[in-house]
Amino acid sequence: MSASTLRAEHCRPLKGPEHRLDDAALGELLALLPGWSLREDGRAIGRNFRFDGFLPALSFASAIGWMAEQENHHPDLELGWGYVRVRYATHDVGGLSRNDFICAAKVDALADAAG
Amino acid sequence: MSASTLRAEHCRPLKGPEHRLDDAALGELLALLPGWSLREDGRAIGRNFRFDGFLPALSFASAIGWMAEQENHHPDLELGWGYVRVRYATHDVGGLSRNDFICAAKVDALADAAG
């Protein structure tokens, strides 16, 4: 598997702890996404992006929002002058699911698209 | 003074601790802005807004960003499905300045404009 396979996937509705990824799966998926790291004792993943200003950060958040609506899977964002911090977790599985990594790969694709 | 006077003001460049508001001024300004409260031991103010979805939250963040650019004074935002948390502080004074309250009043004006 590669980051580009992950980018091409789409989120699907996942509910219940059986869709929570185990440590081996987490390690495999994280290895595909440099810049992303585990947060909150492995219950979330996050990546921080830097920008030169407030509007570039807000614009990137808008791009993420556009993608998030398509996937119907939404991140938590922190943003301000010069930064966006993206966090994904899947509430319905009580931790991380494959959907979080699909969306993380798509966030990277958005960043690359304008980079 | 009223919230509408505050809304009509504009931020001006403030640098140095002499522009940091004292407790009396903080109390007076906070009383004009129901919903806003002190954060971080009085070094910041914040207000949380609720929405029914991710895009409404992101749209509100965009409206705040539009205003923030006009005032050249930018908040820190946290947003996700159903919420936006707004935080203002003035780095250059090491705490809260009048600019933070002017912008807080303008955030309320944006919320009211669509309410």
Side-chain angles (χ1 to χ4, degrees):
Chain A
M1 193 173 41
S2 72
S4 56
T5 10
L6 209 52
R7 285 181 186 196
E9 290 184 37
H10 291 286
C11 294
R12 55 199 182 90
L14 298 178
K15 227 181 178 82
E18 68 273 23
H19 297 291
R20 195 166 55 209
L21 298 170
D22 63 23
D23 286 351
L26 287 183
E28 192 188 344
L29 289 165
L30 265 180
L32 301 176
L33 300 171
W36 291 83
S37 55
L38 292 178
R39 307 283 163 88
E40 300 159 37
D41 280 331
R43 287 189 299 270
I45 48 171
R47 182 172 177 184
N48 301 343
F49 294 86
R50 310 288 307 173
F51 298 91
D52 187 23
F54 186 88
L55 284 190
L58 184 58
S59 299
F60 186 57
S62 296
I64 294 173
W66 139 254
M67 179 274 291
E69 282 293 299
Q70 304 301 312
E71 296 298 327
N72 197 25
H73 187 52
H74 300 88
D76 295 286
L77 303 175
E78 293 177 34
L79 73 100
W81 203 99
Y83 72 90
V84 175
R85 301 183 194 115
V86 187
R87 172 196 175 276
Y88 274 103
T90 303
H91 189 260
D92 285 340
V93 310
L96 285 161
S97 76
R98 190 171 185 89
N99 288 347
D100 300 310
F101 289 88
I102 292 170
C103 286
K106 288 178 187 290
V107 165
D108 286 351
L110 291 167
D112 291 352
Chain B
M1 194 172 43
S2 72
S4 56
T5 12
L6 209 51
R7 284 181 186 195
E9 290 184 39
H10 291 287
C11 295
R12 57 200 180 88
L14 298 177
K15 227 181 177 85
E18 67 273 24
H19 295 292
R20 194 165 54 208
L21 298 171
D22 62 22
D23 286 351
L26 287 182
E28 193 190 343
L29 288 166
L30 265 180
L32 301 177
L33 300 170
W36 291 83
S37 55
L38 292 178
R39 308 281 162 90
E40 299 160 41
D41 280 332
R43 288 189 299 273
I45 48 172
R47 181 172 177 181
N48 301 342
F49 294 87
R50 308 289 308 175
F51 298 92
D52 186 23
F54 187 87
L55 284 191
L58 184 59
S59 299
F60 186 56
S62 297
I64 294 173
W66 138 254
M67 180 275 292
E69 282 294 297
Q70 304 300 312
E71 296 298 325
N72 197 25
H73 187 52
H74 300 89
D76 296 286
L77 302 175
E78 294 177 33
L79 72 99
W81 204 100
Y83 72 90
V84 175
R85 301 181 194 118
V86 187
R87 172 197 176 274
Y88 275 103
T90 304
H91 188 261
D92 285 340
V93 309
L96 285 162
S97 75
R98 190 169 185 91
N99 288 346
D100 300 310
F101 290 88
I102 292 169
C103 287
K106 289 178 187 289
V107 166
D108 287 349
L110 291 167
D112 292 351

